[in-house]
Amino acid sequence: MFQVGDKIFYPMHGAGIVEAMEEKEFLGEKHLYFVLNMMLKELNIMVPVEKMSALGIRQIVEADVLEHVLAVLDEGEPDLSINAAQRYRANTEKMKSGSIYEGAQVIRDLFLISKGKVLGTGDKIMLDQAQQLLVSEIELVKDVDSQAASELLKHALYKEEAQVAP
């Protein structure tokens, strides 16, 4: 289980740190909560201890896993046979999974699609959100600020183009 000080990833909210455990009374019943300090939007969230796994909250990945994810961001191709609505549903499920690999697939696919055509509003928002979530995890794994984490992601996405440039 989680401990105060653990670095965690909460799907759809990003990376954060378990700041405290508190007991609160709600509807006449006492429950134990984790207080999570989230990196994005400096948000504090209270989550019942027994709901952590059901919400898909996990420990942040190890540095070697993150390096692998960043290294393979340019591998694979998006499925162009599905329409925007189908892609949005599939990407939403990937994001909800909390898997760093599935989140990276969303980024890769939408990024590659954007190189060939202008993304629709839903795809743009999804790409931005997926990037913010990954950046928040990079911050904690690499112990860097948001700007440095964004640069690491940007470098991973544009490495192929950078190698082609003279």
Side-chain angles (χ1 to χ4, degrees), residues 20-62:
M21 286 181 80
E22 293 182 11
E23 189 173 70
K24 297 280 185 185
E25 189 172 323
F26 185 70
L27 297 175
E29 290 185 34
K30 289 187 178 186
H31 293 278
L32 197 56
Y33 290 84
F34 282 117
V35 178
L36 309 177
N37 181 353
M38 307 309 292
M39 305 299 292
L40 293 175
K41 303 175 187 162
E42 297 178 19
L43 181 67
N44 280 334
I45 300 174
M46 293 184 76
V47 177
V49 169
E50 65 272 6
K51 300 257 188 202
M52 293 286 280
S53 62
L55 293 171
I57 297 172
R58 61 168 171 79
Q59 298 277 350
I60 61 169
V61 297
E62 298 290 329

Side-chain angles (χ1 to χ4, degrees), residues 5 26 40 44 54 69 78 80-81 83 105-107 133 138 146 150 156:
F26 185 70
L40 293 175
N44 280 334
V69 166
L80 300 175
S81 68
N83 65 36
Q105 282 178 355
V106 171
I107 294 169
L133 294 174
I138 293 170
S146 179
S150 293

Side-chain angles (χ1 to χ4, degrees), residues 58-159:
R58 61 168 171 79
Q59 298 277 350
I60 61 169
V61 297
E62 298 290 329
D64 60 330
V65 172
L66 178 63
E67 290 300 325
H68 181 255
V69 166
L70 293 175
V72 300
L73 262 176
D74 62 343
E75 292 179 6
E77 294 292 326
D79 181 357
L80 300 175
S81 68
I82 61 174
N83 65 36
Q86 292 168 319
R87 183 171 52 248
Y88 185 83
R89 278 193 301 278
N91 286 341
T92 298
E93 287 305 310
K94 288 178 184 178
M95 297 302 296
K96 284 181 180 178
S97 79
S99 163
I100 192 169
Y101 290 102
E102 292 200 7
Q105 282 178 355
V106 171
I107 294 169
R108 178 203 65 206
D109 290 353
L110 293 175
F111 178 74
L112 289 174
I113 290 169
S114 76
K115 289 168 78 172
K117 68 175 189 169
V118 176
L119 291 179
T121 304
D123 283 340
K124 282 182 192 173
I125 292 169
M126 179 71 70
L127 177 57
D128 184 55
Q129 182 181 19
Q131 288 176 324
Q132 286 179 21
L133 294 174
L134 183 54
V135 164
S136 74
E137 190 158 8
I138 293 170
E139 284 180 62
L140 288 183
V141 173
K142 294 282 196 180
D143 194 24
V144 296
D145 65 17
S146 179
Q147 185 173 352
S150 293
E151 287 300 317
L152 283 168
L153 177 56
K154 196 179 298 184
H155 176 72
L157 287 170
Y158 289 96
K159 67 183 168 196

